[in-house]
PDB file of all heavy atoms in Angstrom:
ATOM      1  N   LEU C 148       2.086 -11.046   3.415  1.00 97.00           N
ATOM      2  CA  LEU C 148       0.963 -11.916   3.753  1.00 97.00           C
ATOM      3  C   LEU C 148       0.234 -12.443   2.525  1.00 97.00           C
ATOM      4  O   LEU C 148      -0.446 -13.457   2.586  1.00 97.00           O
ATOM      5  CB  LEU C 148      -0.001 -11.168   4.675  1.00 97.00           C
ATOM      6  CG  LEU C 148       0.588 -10.812   6.050  1.00 97.00           C
ATOM      7  CD1 LEU C 148      -0.352  -9.890   6.807  1.00 97.00           C
ATOM      8  CD2 LEU C 148       0.880 -12.065   6.852  1.00 97.00           C
ATOM      9  N   GLY C 149       0.359 -11.733   1.423  1.00 97.00           N
ATOM     10  CA  GLY C 149      -0.107 -12.266   0.147  1.00 97.00           C
ATOM     11  C   GLY C 149      -1.588 -12.221  -0.151  1.00 97.00           C
ATOM     12  O   GLY C 149      -2.059 -12.925  -1.049  1.00 97.00           O
ATOM     13  N   PHE C 150      -2.361 -11.375   0.547  1.00 97.00           N
ATOM     14  CA  PHE C 150      -3.798 -11.299   0.269  1.00 97.00           C
ATOM     15  C   PHE C 150      -4.161 -10.155  -0.681  1.00 97.00           C
ATOM     16  O   PHE C 150      -5.323  -9.992  -1.053  1.00 97.00           O
ATOM     17  CB  PHE C 150      -4.583 -11.163   1.576  1.00 97.00           C
ATOM     18  CG  PHE C 150      -4.546 -12.399   2.418  1.00 97.00           C
ATOM     19  CD1 PHE C 150      -3.720 -12.481   3.525  1.00 97.00           C
ATOM     20  CD2 PHE C 150      -5.311 -13.505   2.086  1.00 97.00           C
ATOM     21  CE1 PHE C 150      -3.662 -13.628   4.304  1.00 97.00           C
ATOM     22  CE2 PHE C 150      -5.267 -14.659   2.850  1.00 97.00           C
ATOM     23  CZ  PHE C 150      -4.437 -14.724   3.963  1.00 97.00           C
ATOM     24  N   GLY C 151      -3.189  -9.355  -1.051  1.00 97.00           N
ATOM     25  CA  GLY C 151      -3.410  -8.380  -2.113  1.00 97.00           C
ATOM     26  C   GLY C 151      -3.995  -7.048  -1.728  1.00 97.00           C
ATOM     27  O   GLY C 151      -4.616  -6.390  -2.571  1.00 97.00           O
ATOM     28  N   ASP C 152      -3.806  -6.587  -0.499  1.00 98.00           N
ATOM     29  CA  ASP C 152      -4.263  -5.234  -0.147  1.00 98.00           C
ATOM     30  C   ASP C 152      -3.573  -4.193  -1.026  1.00 98.00           C
ATOM     31  O   ASP C 152      -4.162  -3.176  -1.387  1.00 98.00           O
ATOM     32  CB  ASP C 152      -3.978  -4.945   1.327  1.00 98.00           C
ATOM     33  CG  ASP C 152      -4.877  -5.729   2.269  1.00 98.00           C
ATOM     34  OD1 ASP C 152      -5.440  -6.744   1.820  1.00 98.00           O
ATOM     35  OD2 ASP C 152      -4.997  -5.355   3.447  1.00 98.00           O
ATOM     36  N   CYS C 153      -2.316  -4.459  -1.363  1.00 97.00           N
ATOM     37  CA  CYS C 153      -1.557  -3.531  -2.204  1.00 97.00           C
ATOM     38  C   CYS C 153      -2.136  -3.490  -3.620  1.00 97.00           C
ATOM     39  O   CYS C 153      -2.155  -2.434  -4.266  1.00 97.00           O
ATOM     40  CB  CYS C 153      -0.081  -3.927  -2.246  1.00 97.00           C
ATOM     41  SG  CYS C 153       0.217  -5.648  -2.712  1.00 97.00           S
ATOM     42  N   VAL C 154      -2.616  -4.638  -4.091  1.00 97.00           N
ATOM     43  CA  VAL C 154      -3.230  -4.702  -5.424  1.00 97.00           C
ATOM     44  C   VAL C 154      -4.464  -3.810  -5.465  1.00 97.00           C
ATOM     45  O   VAL C 154      -4.666  -3.032  -6.404  1.00 97.00           O
ATOM     46  CB  VAL C 154      -3.612  -6.156  -5.778  1.00 97.00           C
ATOM     47  CG1 VAL C 154      -4.327  -6.201  -7.121  1.00 97.00           C
ATOM     48  CG2 VAL C 154      -2.372  -7.039  -5.807  1.00 97.00           C
ATOM     49  N   ALA C 155      -5.288  -3.917  -4.433  1.00 96.00           N
ATOM     50  CA  ALA C 155      -6.517  -3.120  -4.370  1.00 96.00           C
ATOM     51  C   ALA C 155      -6.212  -1.628  -4.206  1.00 96.00           C
ATOM     52  O   ALA C 155      -6.969  -0.784  -4.691  1.00 96.00           O
ATOM     53  CB  ALA C 155      -7.388  -3.602  -3.208  1.00 96.00           C
ATOM     54  N   ALA C 156      -5.113  -1.311  -3.541  1.00 94.00           N
ATOM     55  CA  ALA C 156      -4.792   0.091  -3.257  1.00 94.00           C
ATOM     56  C   ALA C 156      -4.166   0.811  -4.439  1.00 94.00           C
ATOM     57  O   ALA C 156      -4.265   2.032  -4.544  1.00 94.00           O
ATOM     58  CB  ALA C 156      -3.849   0.171  -2.058  1.00 94.00           C
ATOM     59  N   CYS C 157      -3.517   0.078  -5.329  1.00 94.00           N
ATOM     60  CA  CYS C 157      -2.791   0.721  -6.438  1.00 94.00           C
ATOM     61  C   CYS C 157      -3.761   1.361  -7.430  1.00 94.00           C
ATOM     62  O   CYS C 157      -4.560   0.659  -8.062  1.00 94.00           O
ATOM     63  CB  CYS C 157      -1.911  -0.300  -7.156  1.00 94.00           C
ATOM     64  SG  CYS C 157      -0.989   0.432  -8.539  1.00 94.00           S
ATOM     65  N   PRO C 158      -3.714   2.678  -7.608  1.00 90.00           N
ATOM     66  CA  PRO C 158      -4.643   3.343  -8.522  1.00 90.00           C
ATOM     67  C   PRO C 158      -4.268   3.182  -9.986  1.00 90.00           C
ATOM     68  O   PRO C 158      -5.012   3.610 -10.871  1.00 90.00           O
ATOM     69  CB  PRO C 158      -4.562   4.811  -8.085  1.00 90.00           C
ATOM     70  CG  PRO C 158      -3.202   4.960  -7.514  1.00 90.00           C
ATOM     71  CD  PRO C 158      -2.854   3.641  -6.886  1.00 90.00           C
ATOM     72  N   PHE C 159      -3.129   2.558 -10.266  1.00 91.00           N
ATOM     73  CA  PHE C 159      -2.651   2.455 -11.638  1.00 91.00           C
ATOM     74  C   PHE C 159      -2.614   1.013 -12.152  1.00 91.00           C
ATOM     75  O   PHE C 159      -2.127   0.753 -13.245  1.00 91.00           O
ATOM     76  CB  PHE C 159      -1.257   3.077 -11.756  1.00 91.00           C
ATOM     77  CG  PHE C 159      -1.217   4.510 -11.316  1.00 91.00           C
ATOM     78  CD1 PHE C 159      -0.791   4.849 -10.035  1.00 91.00           C
ATOM     79  CD2 PHE C 159      -1.652   5.515 -12.151  1.00 91.00           C
ATOM     80  CE1 PHE C 159      -0.786   6.173  -9.618  1.00 91.00           C
ATOM     81  CE2 PHE C 159      -1.648   6.840 -11.749  1.00 91.00           C
ATOM     82  CZ  PHE C 159      -1.217   7.168 -10.472  1.00 91.00           C
ATOM     83  N   GLY C 160      -3.124   0.077 -11.351  1.00 93.00           N
ATOM     84  CA  GLY C 160      -3.148  -1.315 -11.777  1.00 93.00           C
ATOM     85  C   GLY C 160      -1.767  -1.874 -12.025  1.00 93.00           C
ATOM     86  O   GLY C 160      -1.575  -2.729 -12.900  1.00 93.00           O
ATOM     87  N   ALA C 161      -0.787  -1.423 -11.224  1.00 94.00           N
ATOM     88  CA  ALA C 161       0.602  -1.820 -11.448  1.00 94.00           C
ATOM     89  C   ALA C 161       1.013  -3.060 -10.655  1.00 94.00           C
ATOM     90  O   ALA C 161       2.148  -3.505 -10.772  1.00 94.00           O
ATOM     91  CB  ALA C 161       1.537  -0.661 -11.099  1.00 94.00           C
ATOM     92  N   ILE C 162       0.095  -3.598  -9.849  1.00 96.00           N
ATOM     93  CA  ILE C 162       0.448  -4.747  -9.010  1.00 96.00           C
ATOM     94  C   ILE C 162      -0.514  -5.897  -9.272  1.00 96.00           C
ATOM     95  O   ILE C 162      -1.731  -5.701  -9.326  1.00 96.00           O
ATOM     96  CB  ILE C 162       0.416  -4.381  -7.509  1.00 96.00           C
ATOM     97  CG1 ILE C 162       1.219  -3.110  -7.240  1.00 96.00           C
ATOM     98  CG2 ILE C 162       0.961  -5.530  -6.670  1.00 96.00           C
ATOM     99  CD1 ILE C 162       1.170  -2.639  -5.805  1.00 96.00           C
ATOM    100  N   THR C 163       0.040  -7.076  -9.443  1.00 96.00           N
ATOM    101  CA  THR C 163      -0.763  -8.284  -9.581  1.00 96.00           C
ATOM    102  C   THR C 163      -0.227  -9.320  -8.591  1.00 96.00           C
ATOM    103  O   THR C 163       0.888  -9.187  -8.080  1.00 96.00           O
ATOM    104  CB  THR C 163      -0.677  -8.861 -11.005  1.00 96.00           C
ATOM    105  OG1 THR C 163       0.711  -9.071 -11.345  1.00 96.00           O
ATOM    106  CG2 THR C 163      -1.307  -7.927 -12.016  1.00 96.00           C
ATOM    107  N   LEU C 164      -1.025 -10.337  -8.318  1.00 96.00           N
ATOM    108  CA  LEU C 164      -0.590 -11.415  -7.445  1.00 96.00           C
ATOM    109  C   LEU C 164      -0.180 -12.620  -8.280  1.00 96.00           C
ATOM    110  O   LEU C 164      -0.913 -13.049  -9.175  1.00 96.00           O
ATOM    111  CB  LEU C 164      -1.698 -11.819  -6.474  1.00 96.00           C
ATOM    112  CG  LEU C 164      -2.015 -10.856  -5.329  1.00 96.00           C
ATOM    113  CD1 LEU C 164      -3.099 -11.454  -4.440  1.00 96.00           C
ATOM    114  CD2 LEU C 164      -0.782 -10.524  -4.507  1.00 96.00           C
ATOM    115  N   ASP C 165       0.993 -13.156  -8.002  1.00 94.00           N
ATOM    116  CA  ASP C 165       1.473 -14.365  -8.643  1.00 94.00           C
ATOM    117  C   ASP C 165       1.828 -15.349  -7.531  1.00 94.00           C
ATOM    118  O   ASP C 165       2.745 -15.101  -6.751  1.00 94.00           O
ATOM    119  CB  ASP C 165       2.711 -14.058  -9.503  1.00 94.00           C
ATOM    120  CG  ASP C 165       3.204 -15.267 -10.280  1.00 94.00           C
ATOM    121  OD1 ASP C 165       2.617 -16.360 -10.123  1.00 94.00           O
ATOM    122  OD2 ASP C 165       4.180 -15.135 -11.033  1.00 94.00           O
ATOM    123  N   ASN C 166       1.084 -16.439  -7.437  1.00 94.00           N
ATOM    124  CA  ASN C 166       1.306 -17.405  -6.362  1.00 94.00           C
ATOM    125  C   ASN C 166       1.182 -16.729  -4.994  1.00 94.00           C
ATOM    126  O   ASN C 166       1.995 -16.941  -4.095  1.00 94.00           O
ATOM    127  CB  ASN C 166       2.688 -18.061  -6.516  1.00 94.00           C
ATOM    128  CG  ASN C 166       2.818 -19.354  -5.732  1.00 94.00           C
ATOM    129  OD1 ASN C 166       1.818 -19.923  -5.293  1.00 94.00           O
ATOM    130  ND2 ASN C 166       4.038 -19.804  -5.529  1.00 94.00           N
ATOM    131  N   SER C 167       0.146 -15.865  -4.870  1.00 95.00           N
ATOM    132  CA  SER C 167      -0.135 -15.122  -3.634  1.00 95.00           C
ATOM    133  C   SER C 167       1.025 -14.211  -3.240  1.00 95.00           C
ATOM    134  O   SER C 167       1.296 -14.006  -2.055  1.00 95.00           O
ATOM    135  CB  SER C 167      -0.470 -16.082  -2.476  1.00 95.00           C
ATOM    136  OG  SER C 167      -1.640 -16.802  -2.759  1.00 95.00           O
ATOM    137  N   PHE C 168       1.681 -13.657  -4.239  1.00 97.00           N
ATOM    138  CA  PHE C 168       2.789 -12.744  -3.975  1.00 97.00           C
ATOM    139  C   PHE C 168       2.700 -11.569  -4.946  1.00 97.00           C
ATOM    140  O   PHE C 168       2.463 -11.762  -6.140  1.00 97.00           O
ATOM    141  CB  PHE C 168       4.130 -13.464  -4.152  1.00 97.00           C
ATOM    142  CG  PHE C 168       5.296 -12.719  -3.579  1.00 97.00           C
ATOM    143  CD1 PHE C 168       5.662 -12.895  -2.255  1.00 97.00           C
ATOM    144  CD2 PHE C 168       6.018 -11.820  -4.351  1.00 97.00           C
ATOM    145  CE1 PHE C 168       6.738 -12.201  -1.711  1.00 97.00           C
ATOM    146  CE2 PHE C 168       7.084 -11.116  -3.820  1.00 97.00           C
ATOM    147  CZ  PHE C 168       7.444 -11.311  -2.492  1.00 97.00           C
ATOM    148  N   PRO C 169       2.854 -10.324  -4.457  1.00 96.00           N
ATOM    149  CA  PRO C 169       2.717  -9.153  -5.321  1.00 96.00           C
ATOM    150  C   PRO C 169       3.884  -8.983  -6.289  1.00 96.00           C
ATOM    151  O   PRO C 169       5.049  -9.107  -5.910  1.00 96.00           O
ATOM    152  CB  PRO C 169       2.662  -7.985  -4.332  1.00 96.00           C
ATOM    153  CG  PRO C 169       3.376  -8.482  -3.120  1.00 96.00           C
ATOM    154  CD  PRO C 169       3.098  -9.954  -3.051  1.00 96.00           C
ATOM    155  N   VAL C 170       3.540  -8.716  -7.534  1.00 95.00           N
ATOM    156  CA  VAL C 170       4.535  -8.465  -8.582  1.00 95.00           C
ATOM    157  C   VAL C 170       4.291  -7.068  -9.134  1.00 95.00           C
ATOM    158  O   VAL C 170       3.165  -6.725  -9.501  1.00 95.00           O
ATOM    159  CB  VAL C 170       4.430  -9.512  -9.705  1.00 95.00           C
ATOM    160  CG1 VAL C 170       5.438  -9.208 -10.805  1.00 95.00           C
ATOM    161  CG2 VAL C 170       4.667 -10.908  -9.150  1.00 95.00           C
ATOM    162  N   ILE C 171       5.336  -6.268  -9.179  1.00 94.00           N
ATOM    163  CA  ILE C 171       5.221  -4.876  -9.632  1.00 94.00           C
ATOM    164  C   ILE C 171       5.496  -4.782 -11.126  1.00 94.00           C
ATOM    165  O   ILE C 171       6.541  -5.231 -11.599  1.00 94.00           O
ATOM    166  CB  ILE C 171       6.217  -3.969  -8.881  1.00 94.00           C
ATOM    167  CG1 ILE C 171       6.137  -4.182  -7.367  1.00 94.00           C
ATOM    168  CG2 ILE C 171       5.971  -2.504  -9.248  1.00 94.00           C
ATOM    169  CD1 ILE C 171       4.847  -3.796  -6.734  1.00 94.00           C
ATOM    170  N   ASP C 172       4.575  -4.206 -11.858  1.00 93.00           N
ATOM    171  CA  ASP C 172       4.799  -3.893 -13.266  1.00 93.00           C
ATOM    172  C   ASP C 172       5.416  -2.494 -13.313  1.00 93.00           C
ATOM    173  O   ASP C 172       4.720  -1.492 -13.148  1.00 93.00           O
ATOM    174  CB  ASP C 172       3.468  -3.924 -14.031  1.00 93.00           C
ATOM    175  CG  ASP C 172       3.642  -3.680 -15.528  1.00 93.00           C
ATOM    176  OD1 ASP C 172       4.658  -3.084 -15.922  1.00 93.00           O
ATOM    177  OD2 ASP C 172       2.761  -4.096 -16.301  1.00 93.00           O
ATOM    178  N   VAL C 173       6.725  -2.422 -13.507  1.00 89.00           N
ATOM    179  CA  VAL C 173       7.413  -1.133 -13.410  1.00 89.00           C
ATOM    180  C   VAL C 173       7.055  -0.186 -14.548  1.00 89.00           C
ATOM    181  O   VAL C 173       7.330   1.014 -14.467  1.00 89.00           O
ATOM    182  CB  VAL C 173       8.945  -1.322 -13.341  1.00 89.00           C
ATOM    183  CG1 VAL C 173       9.325  -2.069 -12.081  1.00 89.00           C
ATOM    184  CG2 VAL C 173       9.473  -2.052 -14.577  1.00 89.00           C
ATOM    185  N   GLU C 174       6.447  -0.708 -15.618  1.00 88.00           N
ATOM    186  CA  GLU C 174       6.012   0.177 -16.694  1.00 88.00           C
ATOM    187  C   GLU C 174       4.743   0.944 -16.306  1.00 88.00           C
ATOM    188  O   GLU C 174       4.468   2.011 -16.842  1.00 88.00           O
ATOM    189  CB  GLU C 174       5.770  -0.628 -17.965  1.00 88.00           C
ATOM    190  CG  GLU C 174       7.059  -1.185 -18.573  1.00 88.00           C
ATOM    191  CD  GLU C 174       6.806  -1.885 -19.893  1.00 88.00           C
ATOM    192  OE1 GLU C 174       5.655  -1.853 -20.376  1.00 88.00           O
ATOM    193  OE2 GLU C 174       7.753  -2.478 -20.430  1.00 88.00           O
ATOM    194  N   LYS C 175       3.991   0.383 -15.366  1.00 90.00           N
ATOM    195  CA  LYS C 175       2.778   1.049 -14.896  1.00 90.00           C
ATOM    196  C   LYS C 175       2.994   1.785 -13.579  1.00 90.00           C
ATOM    197  O   LYS C 175       2.287   2.740 -13.274  1.00 90.00           O
ATOM    198  CB  LYS C 175       1.643   0.027 -14.722  1.00 90.00           C
ATOM    199  CG  LYS C 175       1.156  -0.595 -16.009  1.00 90.00           C
ATOM    200  CD  LYS C 175       0.019  -1.579 -15.727  1.00 90.00           C
ATOM    201  CE  LYS C 175      -0.524  -2.208 -16.998  1.00 90.00           C
ATOM    202  NZ  LYS C 175      -1.606  -3.187 -16.699  1.00 90.00           N
TER     203      LYS C 175
END
Side-chain angles (χ1 to χ4, degrees):
L148 295 171
F150 291 102
D152 289 20
C153 53
V154 176
C157 180
F159 303 98
I162 310 177
T163 55
L164 287 182
D165 184 358
N166 198 15
S167 297
F168 194 88
V170 178
I171 310 295
D172 183 337
V173 296
E174 291 185 5
K175 293 181 179 179

